[in-house]
């Protein structure tokens, strides 16, 4: 009897210890985000070209844009993270200034910027994202909301995503969905506003719905690949109200040095976009890694495009990495595109926006990053974790050239 009591006592002690160990193992887990992180980002974009859609496919495309951004990621507990993103995009555009081409001091000319109010604007965007990870970190749910506004445009967006990791986290499947509800405050070219025959858009809303599916797989110790499929449905006002079109079968009216618009861009009120792509990353050694990307795009407006890019990070020290890159892009023209003064007034849809034309483009990039995972350098209570500086040069065979300078500083709060 004493032996039985001793056995029961040892068994109960062992079970209690096992339960305690299980509770400890389930309650202790690595936090998704250890502490609050703050990113200070900024970009400066400049472009030039001679195919402005505002003036019907000819004219200056000169534009500059400065965008400061702050991104704050806050761990709410072990599993949940709240991210807030706020940015202000301030741009000056020579082409959009010619919505009102007669505001300048000299003769109106599509290749000369006017001084009207439309020459500059500010786009303000604020978004929030909430994500939750399961205890084993194999399931991640997220929800997001965004608001954007500028002088003639307002947008509200919301959506969510779900990510599943399995196969010892070597395989990942994700699905995401977003909705954007936009409203134009339509601004028309000055010469068309008071014409009795001019027809304004009766619906100034635009709704966009997107669904994306992703698959990622670690193929070996050195190689990782991923596939993605995105489908976007757009409905509503898909034309830009202040972009002019001149008709070949209508006599040109030229005031000073400016050809007046016969109408504004008219495009279908629906569009379906489908993009399928893949990435392949290969680790060569401690110094070199190769990152490749390809995407095929098609829509029901007649555009087909191919994108291919390669980036080769070069780790020159424990903290510094260089990022040379190259990107090639080619697309066919939309069914509704024609250059300046080549559309007919009998057509239902027409645009002279060279973004919808047939073109090839090359982009050359270079970047450098600094990383200190221990964030030893401090500014007040902020530890500097990473610095990232990038430059990209973009060139189309249509003559458009653009440069983008961007930088980011990532801080961790003590």
């Amino acid at each position: 009897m004493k032996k039985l009591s001793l056995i029961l006592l040892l068994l109960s002690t062992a079970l209690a210890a096992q339960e305690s160990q299980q509770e400890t193992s389930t309650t202790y887990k690595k936090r998704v985000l250890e502490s609050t992180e703050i990113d200070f980002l900024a970009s400066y974009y400049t472009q030039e070209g001679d195919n402005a859609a505002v003036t019907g496919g000819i004219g200056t495309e000169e534009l500059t844009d400065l965008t400061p951004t702050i991104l704050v990621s806050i761990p709410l507990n072990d599993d949940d993270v709240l991210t807030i993103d706020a940015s202000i995009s301030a741009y000056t555009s020579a082409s959009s200034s010619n919505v009102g081409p007669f505001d300048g001091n000299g003769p109106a000319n599509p290749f000369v910027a006017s001084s009207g109010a439309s020459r500059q604007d500010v786009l303000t965007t604020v978004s929030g994202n909430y994500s939750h990870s399961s205890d084993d970190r194999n399931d991640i749910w997220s929800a997001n909301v965004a608001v954007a506004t500028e002088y003639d445009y307002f947008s509200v967006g919301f959506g969510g995503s779900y990510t599943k990791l399995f196969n010892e986290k070597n395989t990942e499947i994700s699905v995401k969905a977003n909705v954007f509800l936009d409203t134009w405050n339509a601004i028309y070219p000055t010469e068309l506003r008071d014409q009795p025959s001019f027809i304004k858009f009766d619906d100034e809303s635009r709704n966009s719905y997107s669904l994306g599916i992703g698959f990622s797989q670690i193929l070996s110790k050195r190689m990782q690949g991923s596939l993605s499929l995105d489908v976007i449905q757009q409905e509503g006002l898909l034309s830009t109200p202040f972009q002019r079109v001149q008709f070949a079968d209508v006599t040109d009216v030229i005031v000073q040095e400016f050809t007046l618009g016969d109408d504004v861009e008219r495009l279908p009120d629906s569009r379906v976009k489908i993009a399928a792509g893949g990435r392949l990353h290969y680790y060569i050694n401690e110094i070199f890694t190769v990152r490749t990307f390809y995407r095929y795009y098609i829509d029901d407006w007649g555009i087909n495009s191919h994108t291919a890019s390669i980036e080769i990070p070069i780790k020159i020290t424990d903290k510094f990495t260089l990022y040379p890159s190259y990107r090639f892009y080619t697309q066919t023209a939309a069914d509704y595109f024609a250059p300046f003064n080549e559309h007919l007034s009998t057509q239902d849809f027409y645009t002279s926006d060279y973004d919808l034309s047939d073109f090839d483009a090359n982009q050359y990039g270079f970047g450098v990053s600094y990383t200190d995972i221990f964030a030893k350098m401090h500014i007040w209570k902020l530890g500097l974790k990473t610095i990232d500086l990038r430059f990209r040069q973009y060139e189309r065979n249509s003559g458009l050239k653009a440069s983008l300078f961007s930088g980011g500083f990532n801080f961790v709060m003590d």
Side-chain angles (χ1 to χ4, degrees):
M1 191 69 178
K2 290 181 180 180
K3 290 183 179 179
L4 179 59
S5 300
L6 181 59
I7 292 173
L8 291 175
L9 177 61
L10 293 173
L11 182 60
S12 62
T13 303
L15 290 173
Q18 184 178 3
E19 290 177 0
S20 176
Q21 184 177 8
Q22 288 176 345
E23 288 178 3
T24 302
S25 63
T26 56
T27 55
Y28 176 77
K29 54 190 173 185
K30 182 177 177 60
R31 292 167 65 91
V32 175
L33 185 66
E34 292 295 335
S35 57
T36 298
E37 295 191 2
I38 302 176
D39 289 277
F40 296 98
L41 313 172
S43 66
Y44 177 74
Y45 174 85
T46 179
Q47 73 172 39
E48 58 182 22
D50 297 324
N51 299 114
V54 174
T55 45
I58 62 169
T60 177
E61 294 179 88
E62 186 177 342
L63 180 148
T64 60
D65 180 274
L66 178 63
T67 306
T69 302
I70 183 169
L71 182 68
V72 182
S73 300
I74 306 169
L76 303 178
N77 51 48
D78 289 349
D79 306 321
D80 302 327
V81 176
L82 175 65
T83 302
I84 300 173
D85 185 342
S87 67
I88 297 176
S89 176
Y91 71 86
T92 301
S93 170
S95 62
S96 66
S97 73
N98 281 319
V99 172
F102 307 104
D103 298 332
N105 297 324
N109 186 307
F111 293 96
V112 178
S114 174
S115 58
S118 58
R119 74 186 185 280
Q120 58 188 12
D121 201 354
V122 174
L123 170 65
T124 303
T125 304
V126 179
S127 64
N129 178 278
Y130 169 81
S131 67
H132 171 79
S133 299
S134 61
D135 289 338
D136 59 8
R137 305 298 185 245
N138 287 330
D139 299 272
I140 305 170
W141 297 266
S142 72
N144 60 79
V145 62
V147 177
T149 181
E150 58 182 319
Y151 181 73
D152 61 340
Y153 203 77
F154 180 78
S155 175
V156 175
F158 55 90
S161 67
Y162 171 69
T163 301
K164 176 69 175 180
L165 291 86
F166 52 96
N167 187 23
E168 296 182 348
K169 293 184 170 59
N170 289 320
T171 306
E172 177 181 312
I173 295 177
S174 63
V175 59
K176 60 181 180 180
N178 287 283
V179 176
F180 291 94
L181 308 176
D182 308 336
T183 303
W184 287 92
N185 178 18
I187 298 174
Y188 301 100
T190 53
E191 71 271 23
L192 297 175
R193 296 173 189 173
D194 299 324
Q195 285 190 13
S197 59
F198 177 66
I199 301 174
K200 297 182 178 181
F201 294 107
D202 56 3
D203 181 5
E204 296 186 352
S205 65
R206 172 165 65 188
N207 300 336
S208 301
Y209 312 94
S210 66
L211 176 65
I213 300 173
F215 172 80
S216 177
Q217 177 67 49
I218 296 177
L219 302 172
S220 69
K221 292 181 178 181
R222 295 176 178 267
M223 185 180 298
Q224 180 183 20
S226 64
L227 299 171
S228 64
L229 176 66
D230 294 281
V231 180
I232 299 174
Q233 168 73 44
Q234 292 183 299
E235 299 174 351
L237 179 53
L238 306 184
S239 309
T240 303
F242 51 78
Q243 295 188 167
R244 292 177 176 84
V245 169
Q246 287 86 1
F247 296 130
D249 57 343
V250 174
T251 302
D252 290 342
V253 177
I254 301 175
V255 177
Q256 298 175 11
E257 301 170 3
F258 194 91
T259 304
L260 302 185
D262 296 316
D263 198 1
V264 296
E265 173 183 82
R266 307 275 178 178
L267 292 169
D269 59 4
S270 67
R271 187 180 187 183
V272 177
K273 307 176 182 180
I274 300 174
R279 297 180 183 274
L280 191 64
H281 296 176
Y282 184 75
Y283 174 84
I284 299 176
N285 52 41
E286 294 181 355
I287 298 176
F288 297 100
T289 303
V290 178
R291 299 174 179 173
T292 61
F293 170 76
Y294 171 78
R295 181 184 65 191
Y296 175 70
Y297 167 91
I298 187 172
D299 65 29
D300 58 355
W301 285 9
I303 294 180
N304 293 267
S305 75
H306 301 269
T307 305
S309 68
I310 182 171
E311 181 180 66
I312 305 177
I314 305 172
K315 194 173 183 65
I316 55 176
T317 70
D318 291 341
K319 295 184 178 181
F320 287 93
T321 304
L322 304 180
Y323 293 91
S325 64
Y326 170 73
R327 176 180 179 270
F328 174 76
Y329 177 83
T330 182
Q331 75 171 39
T332 60
D335 297 335
Y336 319 112
F337 172 82
F340 176 79
N341 229 358
E342 293 189 18
H343 282 293
L344 299 177
S345 60
T346 55
Q347 295 173 318
D348 292 326
F349 304 113
Y350 31 80
T351 179
S352 294
D353 185 347
Y354 272 71
D355 287 345
L356 301 177
S357 70
D358 179 2
F359 68 86
D360 299 334
N362 296 281
Q363 178 178 283
Y364 310 91
F366 183 79
V368 59
S369 70
Y370 165 86
T371 302
D372 179 8
I373 60 174
F374 300 107
K376 295 179 180 178
M377 187 182 301
H378 279 71
I379 299 177
W380 188 53
K381 295 183 178 181
L382 302 177
L384 179 60
K385 187 176 180 180
T386 63
I387 301 175
D388 189 73
L389 303 174
R390 302 283 178 123
F391 171 74
R392 297 177 180 87
Q393 180 67 30
Y394 175 84
E395 298 177 358
R396 284 186 191 175
N397 60 355
S398 63
L400 178 69
K401 295 181 179 181
S403 300
L404 175 64
F405 302 84
S406 61
F409 297 81
N410 175 256
F411 292 92
V412 180
M413 291 194 68
D414 293 339

